[in-house]
Each structure stands twice: as C-alpha cells, then as structure tokens.
Amino acid sequence: MAGAVAINAGSPTPLAPYGASGSGSTIRYVVMGGTSPITTHLIEDPEPLAPYGAKGVGEPALIATAPAIFGAIRHAAGVQVTEAPCTPARLRKLLRVQLASAK
C-alpha cells in the first residue's frame, strides 16, 4: 500500500476502495513531481559459496508468502497454522481440533 500511496500522493489519479487505482491502469498514473534525482551505485560483492559468485534475487520475495497464506487461512477458517508447508492433511487436523474444542 505504501507504493500506491507514494505514486498517487498529490496526483489527480484517485484511489478506489482497497488502494486500487481509480484510473484502472498504471499507464495513466501521474507521478508526483519535485522528487530528488536517484543515484545508483553498483557494489560488487561476490558470494563465496555460490556458483560464479552469484547471489539470489528471487528469495526475498518468498519470505512473506507463507505468513500471508497462513494469515489468510486464519482469517477464513479461524485456525492458526504454525508449520510450513500447510498441507491439506495439516489443515484438516487443525480444523478437526478446532471443531472438537468448540463442542
């Protein structure tokens, strides 16, 4: 949501409910002016344990995936998943425990 707010701050592009762009397209976003130029510095620091010294870039995006899914399950089903992966068998067990405790 922070990115959507920054893009739309001071912009005639309205935000629809839940932070979606009211323009219907990111092509029509009006980016706020008066921002400072961005300077990029490349720092090469090879990873000694990886092939060719390469570092992974895809992993950071996965860090929030399991908590987001677990939060959605808790919101939808009312059970808290504490172990990954959340297999159907584990979820069924949690739901059965919840059902038994409710009786």
Side-chain angles (χ1 to χ4, degrees):
M1 187 61 199
V5 171
I7 290 172
N8 283 287
S11 156
T13 305
L15 285 181
Y18 306 106
S21 169
S23 70
S25 169
T26 55
I27 293 173
R28 291 187 231 143
Y29 273 170
V30 178
V31 180
M32 62 184 166
T35 58
S36 301
I38 298 172
T39 305
T40 305
H41 299 277
L42 179 62
I43 300 172
E44 294 191 28
D45 182 27
E47 175 58 47
L49 302 177
Y52 309 106
K55 293 186 180 184
V57 227
E59 293 86 352
L62 296 176
I63 292 172
T65 304
I69 292 170
F70 292 178
I73 291 171
R74 182 172 182 172
H75 180 74
V79 294
Q80 184 169 356
V81 180
T82 58
E83 188 177 350
C86 181
T87 62
R90 287 183 181 153
L91 185 54
R92 274 193 298 276
K93 182 179 177 182
L94 290 169
L95 290 169
R96 287 186 182 132
V97 168
Q98 179 193 37
L99 185 61
S101 66
K103 290 182 181 182

